[in-house]
C-alpha cells in the first residue's frame, strides 16, 4: 500500500555553521542519465553539485584546522575536495591523505581522481591499501584505507609527512576509523605543541551525528553542501517477511513488469553468496518473461568482486534495458551509481558482532539502523524523484536502532589493542575514543593478547612484550602474526606464510553456480583429510608448480586474480619476516608440523567433537558446527581449530584444520588445564 513519503528527520544546522546552498542545476545541466561517456571529464567535474561552492569552500577550509563537511553521496566531496585543496596550494608542504574504510573505494577513487587530473595513477595521485602501494615520491594526493594510515602512525605518530588528513566516510565508524580519529587528533595537538607544520583535519560524510563529531574534533565548524535530493516515496510491507531474499526477488520483478520505463533498480542485500544466488535466479526468470517486458541486466556489487567487474555497475545499460544492481551496504555511501530510481531495501546487513563474555566475534546477518535505511532510500533520489521499497513493516522500521553501533563496540579488540600499544599508548581505557569500548571488551582483549604472549601484566600495568612488538609488525590479526612467528620452531615458515596469505585475500576458489559436480571433481585431487588449510595449501602448491598458469586456474576452478594477490601478499609478509630475522624454511611433505604450528597459533579458536556429533568451542563452550563448505564437513574429527565463526541459521566454523588435543595442551597448558578438562591421550 502506498505510504506518505516519510522524509528523513530535518537536518540539524548548528549555529555558526556554514551552509552552502547549491542552486538546482538548470535543465540540461544534469549529468546525462545514460551514456555520459562522451562528456569530457573536466566538464563532468564542473557539473558536480559541489563545483558551485568551490571558492567559498576553499576559503573556509584554508582557514580552519578542523572542519566537518556533510553532503549527499555523489555531490563530489571525495573526488573534488582534495583536488580543490591541492589546486589552491593548501598543504603543499606535504601530502594530502584521504582515508577510506574500504579498500575498493580507495583504489577506485584514486583511479578516478588521477584520470581527472590527467596523470598516471601512482604519480600525483596514488593509493595505499594493505599489501598494495601505488604511490611515488611525486604523490601529493594519497587515497588510503584508514588501517594503512594507522599503520603509518606506528612509525610516525605525528604523521609528519601529511599536511592534511581527510577522514572520509566517517559515519562508517569502523574500528580503524575510530582509532584513527584519536590518533589524528593527538598528532594534530602534538604538532601544535611542538610548533611543527600544522595538520589540517577534515572529516567528511554523507550523514553523521554532527554534534558528536563536532564536539570530538575541537568543536569544529560544519560545512553543509546541499546536494540534489529529490523526493522519495517510501513503501513498507504489510506483513513481516520471513524470507527477505524471496521478497526481494518478487519486488524486482513486480517493478520490472509494472514500471513502464527501464529505470534502474538497486537492491540492498547482505553478502556475496546471497547476491550471486539471487543474480542467477533473476537472470533465469528474466529469460522467460513475456515480450512485453523489456530486457534486464543483473549486476552484482560487493567488496570482494574484482575491480574490473565492479566497474560494470557504472556502465549504463543498453537503451531500453533495465539495470538491476544487487549490492551490499557498499552502495550506501562508498560508491555512487547514477540512474537509480528504485531502491529495494531488505533491511539486513552482514556485520560483526562480539560477545565480550564469550570472547567470540561472529559475522552475522542483522537488521540495519534507521540511519542506514535512510541512506539506502536516498540512493533512489539522486537524479529524479524515486521510490524505496522496504521489505519490512513500518512498525519494524520504528523498532530499528537509530544509528549503527560503532564497530569498536562490537568486535574483538585484540588487534586494535596491540596496535595502540605499538603506538605507545598503553593505557587503552583512557585513549581518547569518540565512543569508548566497554571495559569487558577491553579486558577480554587483554586476556586474548596475554594468552598469545603479546602482553604481560606488571605492577597492575599491561605492557607489550618483545613478542607483542614483533607481532605488531605484521598487518595481520594477532593470532596470524603469532602463528608466523612460531613457524620457524616447526620448520614450516614457508607453508605458514602461504596459508596466512591465502587466508588474507578473498577466496581463491572460484565456485560458479550450477557446476557443482565439475567443481567437486576438479577439487578432489587437492582435498586433504587434514582440513581446509591443507587443502588450500595443496592448491597453492599446484598453482606454483604450473607457474601460475591461467588455463590451469580455469580448469581447476581457481580464481587466478586472487591467486596472484596471494603471491604479492606472501612476498610482503616474507619481507617483514626477513626484517625480523626469521628463518624461512619449508617442511616439504611433513604437513603434520604445519598443523601443529596452526594449533599453537590458533588454540583460542579450538573446538571439540561431542558424543552427539555436535561441536563445542573449547574456550566458551558455545555450540558450533562445521560449515558445509569445509572439507571436514563429513569427517567430523575430534579436535579442530578454525579461522572464523559465521552466524546464519546456526553458528558455523569456517576454514578448519584437524589438530590433536595434545598439541592444544602443549600450546597453552595452563589455559586448557584451567578452563577445560582436556586430558592427554
Ligand atoms: O564523495 P561524494 O559521494 O560526495 O562524491 P564523489 O565520490 O566525489 O563522486 C562524485 C561523482 O564523481 C560521482 O557522482 C560520479 O559521477 C563520479 N565518479 C566516477 O565517475 N567514478 C568514480 N570512481 C568516482 C566518482
Ligand atoms: Mg565520498
Amino acid at each position: 500500500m502506498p505510504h506518505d513519503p516519510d522524509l528523513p528527520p530535518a537536518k540539524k544546522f548548528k549555529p555558526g555553521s556554514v551552509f552552502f546552498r547549491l542552486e538546482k542545476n538548470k535543465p540540461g545541466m544534469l549529468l546525462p542519465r545514460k551514456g555520459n561517456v562522451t562528456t569530457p571529464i573536466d566538464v563532468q567535474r564542473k557539473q558536480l553539485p559541489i563545483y558551485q561552492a568551490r571558492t567559498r569552500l576553499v576559503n573556509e577550509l584554508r582557514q580552519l584546522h578542523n572542519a566537518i563537511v556533510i553532503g549527499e553521496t555523489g555531490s563530489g566531496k571525495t573526488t573534488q575536495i582534495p583536488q580543490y585543496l591541492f589546486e589552491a596550494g593548501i598543504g603543499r608542504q606535504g601530502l594530502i591523505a584521504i582515508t577510506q574504510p574500504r579498500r575498493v573505494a580507495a583504489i577506485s577513487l584514486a583511479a578516478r581522481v588521477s584520470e581527472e587530473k590527467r596523470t598516471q595513477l601512482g604519480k600525483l595521485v596514488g593509493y595505499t591499501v594493505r599489501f598494495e602501494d601505488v604511490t611515488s615520491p611525486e604523490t601529493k594526493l594519497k587515497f588510503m584505507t584508514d588501517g594503512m594510515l594507522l599503520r603509518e602512525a606506528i612509525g610516525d605518530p605525528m604523521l609528519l609527512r601529511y599536511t592534511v588528513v581527510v577522514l572520509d566516510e566517517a559515519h562508517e565508524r569502523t574500528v580503524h576509523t575510530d582509532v584513527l580519529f584519536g590518533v589524528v587528533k593527538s598528532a594534530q595537538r602534538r604538532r601544535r605543541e611542538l610548533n611543527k607544520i600544522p595538520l589540517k583535519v577534515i572529516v567528511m560524510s554523507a550523514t553523521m551525528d554532527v554534534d558528536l563529531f563536532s564536539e570530538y574534533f575541537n568543536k569544529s565548524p560544519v560545512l553543509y553542501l546541499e546536494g540534489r535530493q529529490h523526493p522519495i516515496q517510501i513503501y513498507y510491507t504489510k506483513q513481516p517477511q520471513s524470507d527477505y531474499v524471496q521478497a526481494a526477488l518478487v519486488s524486482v520483478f513486480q517493478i520490472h513488469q509494472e514500471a513502464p520505463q527501464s529505470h534502474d533498480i538497486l537492491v540492498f542485500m547482505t553478502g556475496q553468496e546471497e547476491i550471486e544466488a539471487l543474480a542467477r535466479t533473476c537472470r533465469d526468470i528474466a529469460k522467460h518473461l513475456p515480450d512485453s517486458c523489456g530486457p534486464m541486466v543483473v549486476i552484482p556489487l560487493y567488496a570482494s568482486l574484482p575491480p574490473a567487474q565492479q566497474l560494470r555497475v557504472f556502465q549504463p545499460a543498453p537503451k531500453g534495458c533495465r539495470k538491476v544492481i544487487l549490492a551490499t551496504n557498499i552502495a550506501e555511501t562508498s560508491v555512487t551509481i547514477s540512474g537509480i530510481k528504485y531502491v529495494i531495501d531488505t533491511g539486513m546487513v552482514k556485520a560483526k558482532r562480539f560477545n565480550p563474555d564469550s570472547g567470540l566475534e561472529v559475522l552475522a546477518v542483522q537488521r540495519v539502523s534507521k540511519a542506514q535505511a535512510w541512506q539506502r532510500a536516498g540512493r533512489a533520489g539522486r537524479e529524479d524523484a524515486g521510490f524505496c521499497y522496504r521489505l519490512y513493516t513500518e512498525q519494524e522500521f520504528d523498532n530499528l536502532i537509530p544509528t549503527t553501533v560503532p564497530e569498536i563496540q562490537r568486535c574483538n579488540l585484540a588487534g586494535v589493542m596491540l596496535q595502540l600499544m605499538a603506538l605507545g599508548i598503553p593505557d587503552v581505557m583512557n585513549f581518547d575514543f569518540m565512543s569508548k569500548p566497554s571495559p569487558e571488551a577491553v579486558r577480554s582483549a587483554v586476556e586474548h593478547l596475554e594468552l598469545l604472549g603479546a602482553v604481560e601484566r606488571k605492577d597492575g600495568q599491561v605492557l607489550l612484550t618483545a613478542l607483542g612488538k614483533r607481532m605488531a609488525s605484521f598487518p595481520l590479526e594477532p593470532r596470524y602474526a603469532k602463528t608466523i612467528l612460531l613457524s620457524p620452531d616447526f620448520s614450516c615458515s614457508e607453508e605458514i606464510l602461504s596459508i596466512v596469505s591465502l587466508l588474507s585475500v578473498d577466496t581463491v576458489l572460484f565456485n560458479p553456480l550450477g557446476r557443482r559436480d565439475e567443481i567437486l571433481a576438479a577439487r578432489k585431487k587437492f582435498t586433504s583429510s587434514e582440513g581446509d588449510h591443507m587443502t588450500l595449501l595443496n592448491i597453492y602448491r599446484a598453482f606454483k608448480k604450473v607457474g601460475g598458469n591461467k588455463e590451469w586456474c580455469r580448469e581447476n576452478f581457481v580464481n587466478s586474480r586472487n591467486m596472484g594477490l596471494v603471491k604479492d601478499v606472501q612476498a610482503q609478509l616474507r619481507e617483514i619476516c626477513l626484517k625480523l630475522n626469521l628463518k624461512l624454511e619449508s617442511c616439504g611433505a611433513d604437513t603434520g608440523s604445519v598443523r601443529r604450528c596452526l594449533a599453537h597459533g590458533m588454540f583460542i579458536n579450538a573446538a571439540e567433537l561431542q558424543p552427539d556429533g555436535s561441536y563445542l568451542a573449547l574456550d566458551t563452550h558455545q555450540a558450533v558446527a562445521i560449515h558445509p563448505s569445509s572439507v571436514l564437513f563429513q569427517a567430523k574429527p575430534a579436535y579442530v581449530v578454525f579461522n572464523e565463526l559465521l552466524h546464519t541459521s546456526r553458528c558455523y566454523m569456517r576454514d578448519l584444520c584437524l589438530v590433536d588435543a595434545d598439541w592444544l595442551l602443549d600450546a597453552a597448558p595452563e589455559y586448557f588445564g584451567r578452563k577445560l578438562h582436556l586430558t592427554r591421550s
Side-chain angles (χ1 to χ4, degrees), residues 392-605:
Y392 39 93
T393 65
E394 191 172 11
Q395 197 188 354
E396 285 175 306
F397 173 78
D398 288 338
N399 291 334
L400 294 178
I401 51 167
T403 50
T404 313
V405 178
E407 198 184 16
I408 197 134
Q409 294 178 333
R410 54 183 168 85
C411 77
N412 185 331
L413 291 175
V416 178
M417 298 262 306
L418 187 65
Q419 278 205 329
L420 284 177
M421 293 180 70
L423 277 163
I425 305 164
D427 188 4
V428 181
M429 247 353 241
N430 288 322
F431 180 72
D432 185 12
F433 281 116
M434 186 181 276
S435 313
K436 276 199 190 308
S438 72
E440 297 79 59
V442 173
R443 205 192 48 229
S444 148
V446 171
E447 272 170 21
H448 185 117
L449 290 175
E450 230 181 334
L451 277 171
L452 292 175
V455 302
E456 60 189 357
R457 287 174 210 258
K458 254 196 198 138
D459 312 324
Q461 266 194 311
V462 181
L463 302 173
L464 202 59
T465 61
L467 174 65
K469 265 192 206 116
R470 286 158 76 83
M471 283 166 65
S473 316
F474 292 92
L476 296 170
E477 275 182 52
R479 58 199 158 102
Y480 292 148
K482 166 91 187 247
T483 312
I484 292 180
L485 288 168
L486 283 173
S487 61
D489 299 346
F490 299 88
S491 312
C492 61
S493 33
E494 289 292 355
E495 284 74 19
I496 292 294
L497 279 185
S498 301
I499 289 174
V500 171
S501 309
L502 283 157
L503 296 175
S504 297
V505 307
D506 297 303
T507 179
V508 295
L509 306 178
F510 174 57
N511 292 324
L513 286 153
R515 299 175 68 180
R516 213 183 118 79
D517 294 342
E518 282 170 81
I519 298 172
L520 285 180
R523 293 263 158 81
K524 213 168 179 175
K525 51 185 175 290
F526 308 115
T527 302
S528 161
S529 54
E530 296 178 318
D532 301 301
H533 298 80
M534 303 322 258
T535 302
L536 282 173
L537 184 63
N538 286 343
I539 295 177
Y540 190 55
R541 281 175 164 170
F543 168 82
K544 286 213 297 201
K545 214 170 186 174
V546 296
N549 184 322
K550 279 214 167 113
E551 188 56 36
W552 180 92
C553 287
R554 220 183 342 265
E555 279 166 16
N556 290 287
F557 296 94
V558 165
N559 180 328
S560 68
R561 189 187 160 273
N562 284 357
M563 268 302 195
L565 277 178
V566 172
K567 268 172 73 180
D568 295 349
V569 172
Q570 197 184 21
Q572 292 190 39
L573 293 178
R574 180 177 284 126
E575 227 168 89
I576 300 173
C577 290
L578 291 175
K579 273 195 202 136
L580 295 175
N581 283 323
L582 283 196
K583 193 166 166 207
L584 297 177
E585 57 187 323
S586 163
C587 61
D590 175 21
T591 48
S593 3
V594 180
R595 289 191 294 121
R596 210 180 274 245
C597 181
L598 285 171
H600 275 73
M602 315 259 298
F603 65 89
I604 297 175
N605 288 2

Side-chain angles (χ1 to χ4, degrees), residues 71-79 100 109 168-169 204-206 333-336:
E72 273 302 326
T73 303
S75 51
K77 299 180 297 299
T78 313
T79 55
Q100 296 290 322
L109 288 159
D168 201 6
E169 302 283 326
M204 305 205 300
S205 176
T333 60
S334 284
V335 296
T336 314

